[in-house]
Amino acid sequence: MTTSSAPIELLRFATIGSVDDGKSTLIGRLLVDTRQLFDDQLDAVAAASAKRGVGDLDLSFVTDGLRAEREQGITIDVAYRYATTPTRKFVIADCPGHVQYTRNMATGASTADLALVVLDANEGLKEQTRRHLCIAALLGVRSIIVAANKMDIAEWDRAPFDKVVEQVNALSERLGFVDPVIIPVSALLGDNVVEPSAEANWYKGPTVLEALEAARAGSWSSSNSGARLPIQWVLRQHGGGRTYAGMVNGASFRVGDPVTLLPQGVTTTIRAIHGLHGQSGEASPGLSIDLDLSDDTDAGRGDMLASSPLPIVTRDIAATVCWFGEQPLAKGQRLRLKHTTRSTPVRVAAFDGILDIETLSVEPGDALGFNQIGLVHLETGDPLVVDDYRDNRVTGSFVLIDERNNATVAAGMVGHVDFL
Ligand SMILES: Nc1nc2c(ncn2[C@@H]2O[C@H](COP(=O)(O)OP(=O)(O)OP(=O)(O)O)[C@@H](O)[C@H]2O)c(=O)[nH]1
Ligand SMILES: [Mg+2]
């Protein structure tokens, strides 16, 4: 319990950066040094470390729990962890850095308020780190904290750190990250993670924990759109009539508000809102509710109830996609698109350009290779009700599915993003 009147804010963050640069070790260090782990959890990590012959305590084992991860010493799947300090609650997504698993990183970063970028200060900004930063920017992440890691190997020499600062600042300006905080750390030894380092007397900034506690929370769910209810279920009521169930996003719904059912384009008002705890006058983003409307409407799963400003209804989507399929994405290709509660066939109608992650320029091209980012036009079988991704991260995003094997092969954002 806190004694202050303000509620403790929740910050969702994801670790990003190239393989082996120390993301999991940093999270392990953060959790151990803020005493988030129980003795039996620490014992299990120590036992696994001894079994693999990796010293007393391999901190990366705190999040790398899969057998394949421990055997190969890499993260494969995103591991979610929770932490609480006297001023903050954290939901942590520890993502993999290996190029093969970039798709998992995109999943982990897609709900983050902030990215904790970990890079090896001795090696500088690598291509995979640039790729992760591009994807995080596309996914709407605006804040980053950069841990220039393995400073123990650099013997706390300031030169490699200064180089990282220069590289990160140049890229951040292009990608729209606001005031990145860049910190020299040793995740392995714990310098500047929770405890300030005695080694870097030239560094006067915050520790990683202090920077995380000071960061802006809640940006993931902030939006410029009106209220949205992608309909999940239609519930038939006793005595006729029906109500619509789903999860609210974008803004709040209030009883008496006008709402439009899309794609039908029918306008009515909200008669009642039923939540988990009974009836209420208002429903805010993130709540699962059941809406009762004043007029009889005929809607189904995949339709959307929306308040002004309204989303658009379209079958031609200009989008930015990160392609994770093993075979290239080509013009004319058919896939399935999943957007909120709707799923529809889709065809790649045109390529508008491919992002060069080295120069951040957009080059012409007619196919997207593994892990490439491109601008496309998609033609959908059914009309979709969408917002621009910059206005709403829920109704502005989608995934593409290869129907032959049901694999998710792309993450998509509605609109062509600013920096491209
Ligand atoms: N010397 C030194 N080694 C470190 C430091 N941080 C991490 N390491 C080592 O770097 C290796 C990789 O660490 P991980 O934490 O697994 O790296 P990762 O970024 O999570 O890797 P992926 O999740 O596979 O992308 C391990 O052997 C760590 O012990 C550090 O600050 N100093
Ligand atoms: Mg890892």
Side-chain angles (χ1 to χ4, degrees):
M1 286 293 282
T2 171
T3 48
S4 82
S5 53
I8 296 185
E9 274 188 310
L10 174 72
L11 181 83
R12 297 168 185 276
F13 72 92
T15 61
I16 66 171
S18 187
V19 64
D20 274 353
D21 284 358
K23 296 175 291 301
S24 299
T25 304
L26 180 61
I27 295 309
R29 169 59 69 191
L30 196 64
L31 295 176
V32 168
D33 287 5
T34 53
R35 310 215 184 328
Q36 306 291 322
L37 301 184
F38 294 111
D39 286 348
D40 60 334
Q41 289 173 299
L42 273 173
D43 290 346
V45 169
S49 305
K51 197 168 150 206
R52 303 232 70 81
V54 286
D56 296 344
L57 200 62
D58 187 328
L59 290 167
S60 72
F61 285 5
V62 173
T63 55
D64 289 347
L66 299 177
R67 192 161 144 202
E69 293 182 319
R70 290 182 173 178
E71 280 172 3
Q72 297 172 42
I74 61 167
T75 304
I76 295 173
D77 211 347
V78 185
Y80 292 92
R81 291 288 180 278
Y82 306 90
T84 311
T85 67
T87 56
R88 267 274 154 98
K89 285 186 178 178
F90 299 103
V91 176
I92 306 165
D94 182 31
C95 298
H98 196 289
V99 276
Q100 198 62 39
Y101 307 114
T102 307
R103 181 175 74 192
N104 297 351
M105 167 270 161
T107 306
S110 66
T111 52
D113 296 317
L114 173 144
L116 176 57
V117 187
V118 181
L119 50 82
D120 184 335
N122 307 281
E123 297 177 351
L125 200 59
K126 296 177 197 147
E127 177 183 316
Q128 178 67 351
T129 312
R130 296 177 74 90
R131 177 177 292 115
H132 275 192
L133 281 164
C134 286
I135 294 173
L138 287 174
L139 290 168
V141 173
R142 289 291 162 264
S143 310
I144 56 172
I145 294 171
V146 181
N149 192 28
K150 308 201 185 183
M151 285 299 292
D152 52 303
I153 296 177
E155 296 180 332
W156 296 91
D157 178 11
R158 191 175 172 158
F161 176 73
D162 286 345
K163 178 105 193 290
V164 166
V165 170
E166 197 181 302
Q167 290 179 316
V168 168
N169 282 336
L171 189 59
S172 287
E173 202 164 307
R174 289 293 302 276
L175 294 178
F177 295 120
V178 189
D179 298 333
V181 183
I182 310 170
I183 308 170
V185 310
S186 169
L188 190 69
L189 304 177
D191 295 77
N192 283 339
V193 179
V194 174
E195 302 298 332
S197 176
E199 305 280 351
N201 48 21
W202 43 265
Y203 176 75
K204 304 284 178 249
T207 62
V208 171
L209 180 64
E210 285 165 348
L212 285 168
E213 289 185 325
R216 194 165 84 84
S219 68
W220 183 73
S221 50
S222 70
S223 97
N224 301 319
S225 77
R228 309 285 183 253
L229 187 83
I231 295 172
Q232 238 155 13
W233 312 109
V234 179
L235 306 170
R236 286 172 203 290
Q237 303 301 317
H238 289 301
R242 42 191 137 180
T243 59
Y244 300 107
M247 191 189 282
V248 182
N249 73 76
S252 297
F253 285 108
R254 275 170 220 87
V255 171
D257 277 357
V259 283
T260 305
L261 172 65
L262 296 162
Q264 292 85 338
V266 177
T267 297
T268 174
T269 55
I270 299 175
R271 181 157 58 193
I273 298 172
H274 307 273
L276 200 59
H277 306 291
Q279 227 164 272
S280 75
E282 182 173 344
S284 52
L287 288 184
S288 287
I289 58 161
D290 185 11
L291 274 190
D292 189 0
L293 304 174
S294 305
D295 300 287
D296 241 356
T297 45
D298 186 13
R301 182 183 168 86
D303 296 338
M304 199 184 297
L305 287 160
S307 74
S308 189
L310 293 178
I312 59 162
V313 178
T314 178
R315 289 186 53 209
D316 172 23
I317 312 239
T320 309
V321 297
C322 304
W323 181 249
F324 305 123
E326 275 161 28
Q327 305 300 321
L329 175 70
K331 191 172 158 190
Q333 199 160 324
R334 289 170 194 280
L335 295 149
R336 179 155 284 275
L337 182 152
K338 270 174 82 173
H339 170 257
T340 66
T341 52
R342 173 159 289 186
S343 150
T344 175
V346 68
R347 194 180 72 90
V348 181
F351 271 97
D352 302 323
I354 296 174
L355 176 69
D356 179 332
I357 57 167
E358 229 17 83
T359 61
L360 295 183
S361 61
V362 177
E363 307 294 336
D366 51 15
L368 270 190
F370 180 57
N371 281 343
Q372 279 193 311
I373 298 165
L375 309 179
V376 297
H377 269 86
L378 302 172
E379 212 175 82
T380 65
D382 300 318
L384 289 183
V385 184
V386 299
D387 285 290
D388 190 288
Y389 188 81
R390 285 159 291 188
D391 294 331
N392 187 317
R393 281 170 92 173
V394 178
T395 52
S397 64
F398 59 86
V399 295
L400 298 177
I401 314 261
D402 182 342
E403 286 193 283
R404 289 169 304 183
N405 52 14
N406 261 334
T408 300
V409 282
M413 276 87 17
V414 176
H416 287 177
V417 186
D418 293 333
F419 69 85
L420 297 179

